[in-house]
Amino acid sequence: MTTGSVSPRRADTRRNHERILAVAAQTLAESGEVSFNAIAKRAGVGVGTVYRHFPAAADLILAVYQREVRHLLEVVPELLEHAGPAGAFRTWVTDHLAPYMMTKRGLAKALAEATAQRGTLPASAVQSIREAMEALLTAGAEAGLVRPGVDVETVMRSLLGLLHLDPEDDWQRQTADLVDLVWRGLRAD
């Protein structure tokens, strides 16, 4: 095997791991419950595969949480590259932060139980969101679109309304309205 190559088994293991996490995130968002049998069925893997990756429900819940937070940070550079500062801000809030905030409600109870078993959270979601927001605001200020010196904490507080979105309601329009309002307050002109 050459350096950098991946065996088909390892690639399959990574795909299964990611598929399990994606299904678990969706399941937690919908019901707040963790059923290894239901997750295995929806992910198209055996229940033993789920247990091999995540020996306990707390392990799975914490992995879902870490995946969601990591995604919020990782998507920012790509959004800035492809959509520019204004489009990146809008897309990040609408397509990434708002869905995260809505799924957080379903994940919150399970996460509280998992952290009670395992101790504190392995990473700070608030700090990660702050870092992502800081990158978006800095890019906007450097492009002359956002007023210099806008306080990240103030912008984050202004977006706390996302916590009240109802996935069963017209949350996309409500998010777009909130983003428009916040963006107008950030603009340099």
Side-chain angles (χ1 to χ4, degrees):
M1 185 180 295
T2 62
T3 303
S5 66
V6 177
S7 73
R9 183 172 168 86
R10 289 184 60 132
D12 186 53
T13 298
R14 281 197 302 275
R15 278 191 304 274
N16 285 344
H17 186 86
E18 184 55 34
R19 192 169 34 241
I20 291 165
L21 284 175
V23 167
Q26 186 177 13
T27 301
L28 284 164
E30 292 167 358
S31 68
E33 301 293 323
V34 176
S35 164
F36 278 30
N37 289 327
I39 290 169
K41 184 176 181 177
R42 285 176 71 178
V45 299
V47 72
T49 301
V50 178
Y51 278 105
R52 264 192 307 284
H53 287 270
F54 307 100
D59 298 320
L60 178 57
I61 292 163
L62 290 172
V64 166
Y65 172 77
Q66 289 172 317
R67 175 183 178 265
E68 299 292 315
V69 170
R70 187 173 52 249
H71 176 73
L72 286 173
L73 277 171
E74 290 174 351
V75 73
V76 170
E78 181 181 329
L79 291 174
L80 286 168
E81 181 181 333
H82 296 293
F89 180 83
R90 176 175 304 284
T91 301
W92 185 75
V93 174
T94 304
D95 295 352
H96 301 282
L97 185 61
Y100 169 78
M101 299 291 263
M102 285 188 294
T103 60
K104 184 84 164 99
R105 279 187 279 169
L107 182 59
K109 181 180 177 199
L111 191 57
E113 292 170 5
T115 55
Q117 294 174 16
R118 297 281 192 258
T120 61
L121 289 172
S124 168
V126 173
Q127 182 58 34
S128 295
I129 293 169
R130 185 178 293 117
E131 290 172 20
M133 181 65 69
E134 181 76 45
L136 291 164
L137 294 176
T138 298
E142 289 172 356
L145 300 172
V146 172
R147 287 182 289 121
V150 170
D151 181 48
V152 174
E153 297 297 322
T154 301
V155 177
M156 289 178 56
R157 277 189 222 95
S158 70
L159 293 171
L160 284 177
L162 296 172
L163 285 171
H164 301 287
L165 293 174
D166 181 356
E168 303 300 320
D169 201 358
D170 187 10
W171 67 269
Q172 291 96 338
R173 183 194 53 77
Q174 294 168 359
T175 302
D177 290 348
L178 181 60
V179 170
D180 286 342
L181 181 66
V182 171
W183 185 254
R184 280 192 294 260
L186 294 172
R187 287 182 27 196
D189 50 27

